[in-house]
Amino acid sequence: MTAPLQYRICALDPAAHLFAVTCTVAGPAAGGQLFSLPAWIPGSYMIRDFARHIVAIRAEAGGRAVALEKLDKQTWRAAPVPGGQALSVHCEVYAWDLSVRSAHLDRTHGFFNGSSVFLRVHGQEHCPCEVDILPPADAELADWRVITAMPPAGGVRSHAFGRYRAADYEELIDHPVEMGRFTVYAFEAAGVAHEIALSGRHDCDGERLCADLARICQWQIDLFGAPPPMDYYAFLTMVVGEGYGGLEHRASTALLTSRADLPWQGMKVPTDGYRQFLGLCSHEYFHTWNVKRIKPAAFVPYDLSRENHTALLWAFEGFTSYYDDLALVRSGVIGVDDYLGLLGKSISAVLRGPGRKRQSLAESSFDAWTKYYRQDENTPNEVVSYYAKGALVALALDLQLRAAGQGGSLDEVMRVLWRRHGSGTPGVPEDGIFAAVAEVGGTALARWLRRAVEGTADLPLARLLKPFGIGWRAAAAAALPWLGVKFASGAAEARLATVYSDAPAQRAGLAAGDVLVAIDGLKAATANAVDALLGRRRPGERVQVHAFRRDELMCFEVELGVPPADQVTLAALPRASVAAQQLRRAWLGQ
């Protein structure tokens, strides 16, 4: 039997944000063992070069130092060691990234993803792994606990430091770990234990949160069919003053949320922030099936040393983005009106992006590594979100399947994918989604889907929603002449963050980074001041705009435009036909 790889991690110096990590290999390669750290983490499609956070590294065997040669930015080779001797590599890892992607450590808590701290042992990726998670030495932190979905290796109590195990390296780095003084709330869904840990100050109504999450999780399990593909699930949540983010894992998720977005005792009506947090939890939980197990063939196996390109992120992230809020309404956590409000905002966000006319969803998926995750001032003009528009494609597909009256739906497509690729053949080929849609809804619909994701046309959502008794209203977001710019948020000046393609400001020569100072000779030092001055003008009028570009004052003549009708409002029509109401209830569950 192959000896497990042994890992050890402890909070070496919380004040200096340093984890100490050891990897011990019982049978290193005879010619010199290779080690590396991943360049990216699954679920976040950007090269992050986690090895840059290693501040010290050394190797030893039999109590003696072993030479380590660095081969590239993330790979080391240890010198050969005498036969029968174990080889250990010791690292110190700087952990000061308060996000769901990497690692963070101070005297309030510790968090890490395995991809940012655990070395890969080349040639032994399929060996079982054991990791000792050790408590900080500081006596003042003696009350810290641990929560992770990684199974204990035996004898470890719940939430205790000690030894944990994983079947192989891929599983090892797919179980994030939170340590500190967190609050834990528990609930069950389909008989499976679920826990949510909140790290940070909060006044959360845990009973309400658990009740809502239980309904959402149960609905998703029912969608794919019980039992779920895990026997325990953990929501690891870092609570901060202002923040938002999530990253999926096979039996857990790492979350970042603003404390104001959590429910509190006596909250009568769910706030927008709480609905957003529930949507985030729902999104990451849905990934338990869609992308963690039903995944692109390009990810089987993951190559964590470089980009793994696929044109299918519109399905894995976009379909998940469709189901995240849909699960809220179908499980009864929110009402139909609330859901239609959220859906209207999603449609509006897509319509406001000129990039939807330049980039297809397939292109957006493939170029996620270099475009979507590396945004700049021109991103809205050249990129479409495979999350947001992918969700609208899922909506359009679901509506067409349901309206056809043959009992089909996107739910059935997801179940086909689950049977075929989640618990069957691993890896969805690049045409696999189209094949599943053809099986459920026919080849004509599959051809429509291909055109939708490979082209740039707007989706006919108003027409598709009509048979469901959903009214569509599109209007300008504000009753102001259109300048066609986005101001930098939080800036104390009227600085342009983006100038939209073919908009009045761009045609006049204004550019991102310019700071507006006057309109027609009147001071316009803030975005609000600009809006106030434009409120006295009409579309078609010309105004003189003074702006600084770097340290040069420039003057531009802008012909104001008609604001686009990109604010969409949806409503359930009270006098819809019986057939429309039946379709709507079957779709939304209410």
Side-chain angles (χ1 to χ4, degrees), residues 416 419-420 434-443:
V416 167
R419 290 193 297 269
R420 184 171 298 162
F434 306 116
V437 170
E439 181 176 327
V440 174
T443 56

Side-chain angles (χ1 to χ4, degrees), residues 138-158:
D138 192 330
E140 293 184 6
L141 308 182
D143 58 345
W144 276 25
R145 298 186 294 165
V146 167
I147 183 167
T148 179
M150 193 184 309
V156 177
R157 294 177 292 106
S158 177

Side-chain angles (χ1 to χ4, degrees), residues 17 19 55 82 121 162 165 226 239 251 261-262 329 367 415 420 458 473 476 488 513 531 546 559 587:
H17 323 302
F19 280 113
V55 298
V121 182
R165 57 181 171 81
V239 182
D261 291 347
L262 296 172
V329 66
D367 291 337
R415 285 189 283 265
R420 184 171 298 162
D458 285 337
R473 178 178 176 271
D531 287 346
H546 280 86
E559 181 177 339
W587 170 39

